[in-house]
Amino acid sequence: MDDRPDIATGSINVGDEAPVEVRCILSTGAETHSADGDDSSQGFGALLNRLVDRVQQLYLPLECIYPWSLRWFVPLIRGLLTHDDAWKMTSIIDPTTIGKPQPAHQRRRHVRSLTGYTPETDEKGQEKWPRGDEKVWKDGLRGVDKDVPEITKSVVHHVQTSLARQAYNLDEAGAYQATALSVRDNLLPTKRAYYLSLEFLMGRTLDNALLNLGLKNKYSDGTTKLGFNLEDLLEQERDAALGNGGLGRLAACYLDSSASQELPVWGYGLRYQYGIFQQLIGPDGSQLEAPDPWLQHDNPWELPRADVTYDVRFYGHSERIDGMKAVWSGGQEVLAMAYDVMIPGYATKNTNNLRLWESKPKRGFDLNSFNAGDYERAVESSNSAAAITSVLYPNDHTTFGKELRLKQQYFWTAASLNDILRRFKNLDKPISEFPEYVSIQLNDTHPTLAIPELMRILVDEEDVKWDAAWDIITRTFFFTNHTVLPEALEKWPVPLMQHLMREHSDFKSMHAGNLTAFDVVSIFLQAVEKKFPGDRERLARMSLIEEGFPQNVRMANLACIGSRKVNGVAELHSELLKATIMKDFVEFFGISKFFNVTNGITPRRWLDQCNPRLSQLISETLQLPKATFLKELSLLEGLLKHVDEPALIKKWAAVKQSNKERLAHYVETTMGHKINTQAMFDVQIKRLHEYKRQTLNIMGVIHRYLAIKAMTAEERKKVNPKVVFFAGKAAPGYYIAKLTIRLIVNVARIINEDPETKDLLSMFFLPDYSVSLAEILIPASDISQHISTAGTEASGTSNMKFCLNGGLLLGTVDGANIEIAEEVGEQNVFFFGHLTPAVEDLRYQHMYHPVPIEQKCPGLAKVINEVASGRFGDGGVYEPLLNTIRQNDYYLLTEDFDSYIQALELVDKAYQDRTGWIKKSIRTTAKMGKFSSDRAIQDYAQECWNIESNKLP
Ligand code: NBG
């Protein structure tokens, strides 16, 4: 090699975006290597290794790159520049060449082809390999069947699955088909699924990334050598709290499972400047909210993609030009800019992507106003553009009708669809094949505007006929519902939509030559009318428009009719979905459109990361490497064989004890309270909501307190000491939920200070609940509470996390509790309360034949009277909360309180037999295999998306 700096030129194509020409000079001190050299000298080999190393360090998948798409190049250069002193890059772009035409041999010619771009040819017309060693690239290409067994397996697979035939009836024509299909697999780009979620509650990344890459120990050693403790460094990271609760955390678990199983799934969301608010507790015990400036410091986990931007339009006007197509113009145009967050799979080189959009002003500011000295006006439009992604809305029914929230939804779906469409177009396939390459999962109704938006794009921009466009839509989208609570179903006022999205909101009934995306309303209703002639009530129920002043668009109805399949998130919930809010749709479309995917959790974060000692103990007991059962969670069942072994019982108890001490340490350092770690730890952590019934829990604690107070000293000796933990945020506008927090905090203040009882009962409300706090609380719990009114909690996914960590479950027969009990056996859970079918009738009785609470439930009445009398601070403050129970009692506390107290007694009794308890704990963990999000994501991949793993060697 000569000692001139070599210049590497080429097109950089990160992801599969429009290519950018780049020239770079690479050198290491005196030694210099050419990135596109073709000799196999040591220098070049070393370079290649460095490149591959760097790619791997950045966990970018070499194998899934087409040679024409140097996805890794930019991060690679960034990596070399910023992290590696020994490997110095003298320059990345030669500034003197910017803007000048480049010599022909350096310019890449990009022509559309199947994979996006065709190779360049040399003077003789021979194809030039664009970069690097052709063999290395080709070996690395995904899915190239090299060995005979692989090939035969693939052909037989096609005989069986594509042709549905067998060896007995396969003729030559069939064999040809199967062989051709097998060969085609090596040529075709794979289908991708897109998970559209307005929330991704990722938590921290560093620990998770180290575990997934298998590098935690090495980094721990490394940082120690540098004088830092890795655990302390992990604490430096702020949670990415871009979600409210279960729905957002589920999305994060699904990304982990997709990446870990090498499934091509991308997430699309919003990059909120401020995530879910920070919760503080004021002097009077109330929740106070502060902004969560999580981006205050640089976020190392995201790659800003200034090269990936789209225009999104709001307001303005729309004109039809030829009866079909419309041109939408004027109004406000903002820019959506992508930020990519890499999602490393566990024990695989595969990395998926989460693309988050940020809104930016399209033009800096209004220069005319600026020049005229009107500075406020000059920045007005840029401020309003930036506001779109400024804040995550706390989950709250009052968000419906908020213009900014609707703007967020449209901004996000429009940008994501543009991106998906552009990627599809690189394949050069006819648009009718869109659903063969793209599946889009709608995580709740929030992204439903993607349906009319894709219609608009197809009809107005892609010249697709209306019927054909609708056919594409209904083969592309899939919809997951996360709640059947009527008040939580999204509805948007028609006038607001009309104002914001001109092109989508022409709700006039259809007449020839004036079709709009929302004419789906009338076309759909015509079909319903045909099937159920004269059934006007049915038509009114199924319409996308709810009549009233103003009219509202029912997003769940739109999501349902625009999707190929609709699912609930646990067995009971999916059944309820079909029986209640989707009943008419089941009768219209047929049952096969509706199905269930019980939620899941990633065992990487929710076992190995949050409870490394338990994960280690399981590994030793099963004599399996962690990676084996963390990827195949049903292997935990192997623990059952060992459940009676005293050594395991002892070690299991020791792990729980150390986790309890870790939590106690957290409480001591953050709140200044010492905790008795020998006591039973009882945990309820979730968003504050009446249906989740934190109120039932706090009433139960007060009941226990009063009971202990009434005991003799002798009786108190028999009491099972207990520490109760609460954590969770209430939506700022949810008055009753906030009042519940205030009551919990004030009751805690009294009982924690009561010398008579404090050793037997104490209680803590841990402020600012987050993923990271859950990671401390969950492994420490002996028992956790999931006590919603039957039929209201769709799944309640944290129940799975507790059980995986050997915490037992106290709950109602609701959501995924039911399936957990099916798995672990009813003798290992504590169930109480009325069942779902009884709820409607009970509510009817409460409404029309109310019985005073003193008569109905004296135990609860006593507790309520104590609160009202001011035992825990000004009783008057809590009247509105107490009245929700005294009057009407929609969430049925008076119906379930007695059986709840009985269940708590059973828990106490069971806990006194510590060995028996630990055995229940081991059995519970052992049966959690079903609840891995790997299983759930496979359900989606097979039932909906029709995608397969891109197995990497
Ligand atoms: C929540 C349900 C939970 C469920 C999660 C995830 C919403 C709208 N729904 O029961 O209340 O576990 O979704 O599916 O956040």
Side-chain angles (χ1 to χ4, degrees):
M1 311 216 62
D2 66 31
D3 51 6
R4 248 181 326 109
D6 270 317
I7 297 176
T9 60
S11 64
I12 298 178
N13 204 332
V14 181
D16 12 31
E17 319 309 339
V20 180
E21 303 281 342
V22 163
R23 304 206 299 135
C24 31
I25 308 165
L26 304 168
S27 74
T28 49
E31 211 190 348
T32 319
H33 309 290
S34 157
D36 53 0
D38 57 1
D39 66 331
S40 54
S41 69
Q42 226 199 331
F44 177 66
L47 170 66
L48 192 61
N49 283 339
R50 294 304 297 240
L51 295 181
V52 171
D53 258 23
R54 178 62 70 199
V55 168
Q56 283 172 353
Q57 276 169 29
L58 293 163
Y59 43 76
L60 294 169
L62 254 186
E63 289 76 1
C64 70
I65 311 162
Y66 299 113
W68 308 277
S69 166
L70 303 180
R71 176 195 179 102
W72 40 271
F73 207 81
V74 162
L76 177 97
I77 290 170
R78 286 160 55 104
L80 288 169
L81 266 179
T82 54
H83 299 300
D84 201 331
D85 285 342
W87 179 248
K88 286 206 185 69
M89 182 176 285
T90 51
S91 158
I92 52 166
I93 296 180
D94 179 352
T96 58
T97 63
I98 293 173
K100 293 194 183 143
Q102 292 174 31
H105 74 275
Q106 286 185 350
R107 221 181 302 143
R108 302 215 72 79
R109 193 167 50 86
H110 300 295
V111 184
R112 280 267 153 72
S113 78
L114 189 66
T115 48
Y117 306 97
T118 51
E120 234 180 314
T121 49
D122 62 17
E123 309 76 45
K124 293 188 206 125
Q126 296 279 318
E127 268 185 22
K128 276 205 299 193
W129 188 254
R131 179 167 300 274
D133 184 329
E134 185 170 350
K135 183 170 177 310
V136 172
W137 275 109
K138 287 200 164 156
D139 284 351
L141 275 181
R142 196 207 126 257
V144 182
D145 293 328
K146 298 184 294 274
D147 304 322
V148 177
E150 271 177 52
I151 290 169
T152 49
K153 210 166 154 189
S154 137
V155 175
V156 171
H157 174 77
H158 277 294
V159 170
Q160 226 183 353
T161 55
S162 312
L163 309 181
R165 291 166 83 168
Q166 294 183 12
Y168 303 108
N169 61 358
L170 185 70
D171 55 12
E172 280 184 348
Y176 159 74
Q177 285 289 340
T179 310
L181 288 170
S182 155
V183 173
R184 203 186 66 174
D185 281 349
N186 292 316
L187 305 175
L188 282 182
T190 46
K191 181 175 181 179
R192 266 191 204 166
Y194 298 96
Y195 198 82
L196 263 61
S197 180
L198 207 44
E199 302 186 10
F200 285 94
L201 194 44
M202 304 297 282
R204 288 175 175 154
T205 298
L206 178 56
D207 201 9
N208 187 250
L210 286 172
L211 284 170
N212 280 10
L213 294 168
L215 291 174
K216 186 151 181 195
N217 291 341
K218 289 197 180 138
Y219 268 79
S220 180
D221 292 351
T223 49
T224 307
K225 287 206 173 99
L226 295 169
F228 292 99
N229 178 354
L230 181 61
E231 294 302 320
D232 296 338
L233 301 189
L234 298 180
E235 287 299 313
Q236 291 296 311
E237 186 174 348
R238 270 191 105 106
D239 272 42
L242 307 184
N244 277 279
L247 174 147
R249 185 52 232 174
L250 184 76
C253 282
Y254 283 175
L255 290 183
D256 179 85
S257 278
S258 305
S260 299
Q261 297 183 92
E262 292 141 345
L263 285 163
V265 180
W266 275 35
Y268 276 109
L270 288 183
R271 181 180 182 268
Y272 304 104
Q273 286 286 325
Y274 297 93
I276 191 69
F277 62 86
Q278 242 176 308
Q279 181 192 52
L280 309 165
I281 300 298
D284 65 357
S286 334
Q287 165 180 292
L288 303 174
E289 299 95 22
D292 162 44
W294 74 293
L295 290 171
Q296 220 166 26
H297 304 292
D298 268 356
N299 174 10
W301 303 106
E302 62 180 15
L303 291 169
R305 300 295 309 274
D307 55 325
V308 185
T309 58
Y310 298 97
D311 295 348
V312 179
R313 186 182 301 280
F314 296 100
Y315 317 107
H317 49 269
S318 144
E319 259 173 64
R320 304 220 155 256
I321 41 178
D322 54 9
M324 277 299 272
K325 288 176 67 170
V327 177
W328 186 8
S329 54
Q332 182 190 20
E333 261 191 300
V334 300
L335 208 62
M337 175 177 149
Y339 283 75
D340 284 351
V341 181
M342 285 174 279
I343 310 292
Y346 177 76
T348 161
K349 290 179 202 156
N350 186 51
T351 304
N352 283 357
N353 196 23
L354 165 61
R355 181 157 285 182
L356 301 176
W357 300 108
E358 185 184 64
S359 59
K360 287 186 176 305
K362 193 156 176 224
R363 288 168 211 90
F365 53 70
D366 176 1
L367 208 55
N368 288 338
S369 306
F370 188 81
N371 290 341
D374 189 348
Y375 301 128
E376 274 165 33
R377 182 102 185 252
V379 293
E380 206 173 74
S381 80
S382 52
N383 286 346
S384 118
I388 296 174
T389 52
S390 63
V391 65
L392 165 80
Y393 271 92
N395 196 320
D396 182 348
H397 317 317
T398 59
T399 52
F400 305 152
K402 294 260 159 72
E403 180 167 342
L404 188 60
R405 166 81 169 193
L406 189 59
K407 259 182 135 169
Q408 289 186 336
Q409 295 189 350
Y410 180 64
F411 169 82
W412 157 57
T413 49
S416 307
L417 277 178
N418 267 298
D419 202 40
I420 293 169
L421 234 102
R422 186 196 43 73
R423 193 168 300 114
F424 170 75
K425 283 185 175 175
N426 279 348
L427 306 177
D428 243 8
K429 295 279 181 184
I431 193 86
S432 57
E433 288 183 21
F434 189 72
E436 293 358 300
Y437 294 91
V438 174
S439 287
I440 301 177
Q441 191 71 37
L442 306 173
N443 195 28
D444 218 284
T445 49
H446 315 147
T448 304
L449 287 175
I451 292 173
E453 173 66 4
L454 185 56
M455 266 313 263
R456 185 188 71 77
I457 296 174
L458 292 175
V459 174
D460 290 348
E461 291 175 15
E462 299 296 324
D463 282 330
V464 181
K465 292 268 177 296
W466 205 95
D467 284 356
W470 187 245
D471 178 62
I472 292 174
I473 298 278
T474 50
R475 289 192 296 128
T476 300
F477 289 103
F478 300 87
F479 165 50
T480 305
N481 168 283
H482 292 266
T483 180
V484 289
L485 296 187
E487 72 273 21
L489 296 175
E490 268 192 310
K491 286 172 196 162
W492 287 106
V494 170
L496 179 63
M497 278 208 167
Q498 274 171 335
H499 177 52
L500 209 58
M501 289 165 289
R502 290 281 172 232
E503 170 46 22
H504 284 306
S505 42
D506 186 354
F507 287 99
K508 284 183 217 100
S509 59
M510 181 187 67
H511 41 90
N514 188 17
L515 296 171
T516 73
F518 259 98
D519 285 324
V520 67
V521 182
S522 36
I523 291 178
F524 173 66
L525 287 183
Q526 281 171 13
V528 175
E529 156 81 0
K530 205 164 157 198
K531 189 157 180 178
F532 303 99
D535 192 344
R536 289 194 195 168
E537 281 180 16
R538 183 186 294 268
L539 282 182
R541 286 193 306 266
M542 293 178 77
S543 174
L544 303 193
I545 307 297
E546 182 185 67
E547 293 305 330
F549 302 98
Q551 292 177 314
N552 279 307
V553 183
R554 295 169 171 143
M555 302 308 269
N557 291 18
L558 177 55
C560 174
I561 67 168
S563 295
R564 181 149 164 193
K565 293 215 165 193
V566 178
N567 75 288
V569 291
E571 300 267 355
L572 173 71
H573 169 237
S574 295
E575 287 308 311
L576 285 174
L577 199 60
K578 289 186 280 185
T580 59
I581 58 173
M582 291 286 154
K583 187 166 183 282
D584 293 316
F585 295 90
V586 173
E587 288 165 14
F588 179 74
F589 288 111
I591 197 83
S592 59
K593 181 171 173 140
F594 300 86
F595 74 116
N596 173 58
V597 179
T598 299
N599 284 348
I601 54 169
T602 166
R604 272 74 65 178
R605 184 179 289 265
W606 297 113
L607 175 58
D608 194 36
Q609 184 183 320
C610 71
N611 201 345
R613 292 191 58 188
L614 189 63
S615 170
Q616 184 59 30
L617 176 58
I618 293 172
S619 165
E620 284 160 21
T621 311
L622 298 178
Q623 300 195 338
L624 288 174
K626 281 181 181 181
T628 310
F629 62 84
L630 290 175
K631 277 205 150 176
E632 181 45 72
L633 202 62
S634 58
L635 290 170
L636 291 183
E637 241 185 292
L639 289 169
L640 291 178
K641 279 208 305 262
H642 305 277
V643 78
D644 293 319
E645 290 170 12
L648 176 64
I649 293 172
K650 203 167 150 208
K651 287 184 196 159
W652 197 273
V655 170
K656 182 61 78 185
Q657 190 58 32
S658 76
N659 290 330
K660 288 166 80 169
E661 271 149 28
R662 181 170 65 147
L663 171 58
H665 176 74
Y666 175 84
V667 174
E668 199 176 338
T669 49
T670 57
M671 299 173 77
H673 280 276
K674 261 200 156 356
I675 292 184
N676 169 14
T677 58
Q678 293 308 315
M680 177 169 77
F681 279 17
D682 178 334
V683 184
Q684 187 180 20
I685 45 175
K686 37 188 95 233
R687 282 179 301 122
L688 264 287
H689 200 294
E690 285 167 277
Y691 87 80
K692 293 180 187 279
R693 299 202 295 191
Q694 282 93 350
T695 329
L696 183 60
N697 190 347
I698 182 66
M699 295 293 159
V701 174
I702 298 172
H703 183 269
R704 191 179 184 97
Y705 173 66
L706 298 176
I708 300 174
K709 288 291 273 182
M711 284 177 188
T712 62
E714 216 37 49
E715 285 168 328
R716 283 185 191 155
K717 283 192 188 143
K718 293 191 206 129
V719 170
N720 179 31
K722 177 156 140 172
V723 186
V724 180
F725 297 91
F726 285 92
K729 294 178 182 177
Y734 193 168
Y735 179 61
I736 295 294
K738 289 178 86 166
L739 213 45
T740 311
I741 293 181
R742 187 163 171 181
L743 178 62
I744 296 170
V745 173
N746 285 316
V747 172
R749 284 176 180 165
I750 301 287
I751 67 176
N752 293 350
E753 296 304 322
D754 189 331
E756 274 186 355
T757 59
K758 68 179 190 183
D759 292 336
L760 298 177
L761 179 64
S762 56
M763 179 165 80
F764 299 93
F765 183 89
L766 306 188
D768 207 27
Y769 182 50
S770 63
V771 172
S772 294
L773 185 51
E775 288 169 18
I776 302 175
L777 279 155
I778 289 170
S781 115
D782 292 306
I783 186 95
S784 67
Q785 303 207 23
H786 308 272
I787 55 178
S788 49
T789 313
T792 59
E793 186 71 277
S795 165
T797 318
S798 75
N799 43 14
M800 305 168 188
K801 297 169 193 163
F802 283 100
C803 291
L804 182 58
N805 285 277
L808 302 194
L809 184 151
L810 166 61
T812 44
V813 186
D814 200 16
N817 290 354
I818 301 172
E819 287 155 78
I820 291 177
E822 269 166 21
E823 292 295 303
V824 306
E826 286 213 13
Q827 67 284 8
N828 295 315
V829 299
F830 301 90
F831 268 159
F832 72 95
H834 285 87
L835 305 184
T836 304
V839 167
E840 209 182 301
D841 193 40
L842 288 171
R843 281 185 176 157
Y844 174 86
Q845 297 297 334
H846 281 224
M847 187 71 122
Y848 296 105
H849 308 284
V851 177
I853 183 168
E854 280 75 13
Q855 248 169 287
K856 171 142 230 123
C857 186
L860 183 56
K862 191 170 160 218
V863 172
I864 286 182
N865 291 340
E866 289 288 328
V867 175
S869 72
R871 184 149 187 172
F872 305 101
D874 184 358
V877 169
Y878 302 109
E879 278 302 302
L881 170 63
L882 303 179
N883 281 338
T884 62
I885 308 171
R886 293 188 190 117
Q887 302 159 7
N888 198 12
D889 188 22
Y890 188 74
Y891 293 103
L892 305 180
L893 274 76
T894 53
E895 297 292 340
D896 284 348
F897 187 75
D898 291 340
S899 70
Y900 175 59
I901 297 297
Q902 281 166 15
L904 286 169
E905 281 163 11
L906 288 178
V907 172
D908 284 325
K909 214 163 138 217
Y911 195 70
Q912 307 218 314
D913 167 13
R914 285 297 172 94
T915 306
W917 184 274
I918 298 292
K919 286 185 186 177
K920 282 182 191 293
S921 164
I922 299 173
R923 286 202 178 95
T924 302
T925 302
K927 297 294 288 184
M928 280 301 114
K930 169 174 173 184
F931 303 102
S932 166
S933 44
D934 294 351
R935 183 272 310 148
I937 215 74
Q938 278 297 340
D939 287 354
Y940 281 106
Q942 286 162 25
E943 278 274 345
C944 302
W945 310 330
N946 197 18
I947 55 168
E948 287 184 358
S949 297
N950 284 337
K951 287 276 175 239
L952 300 180

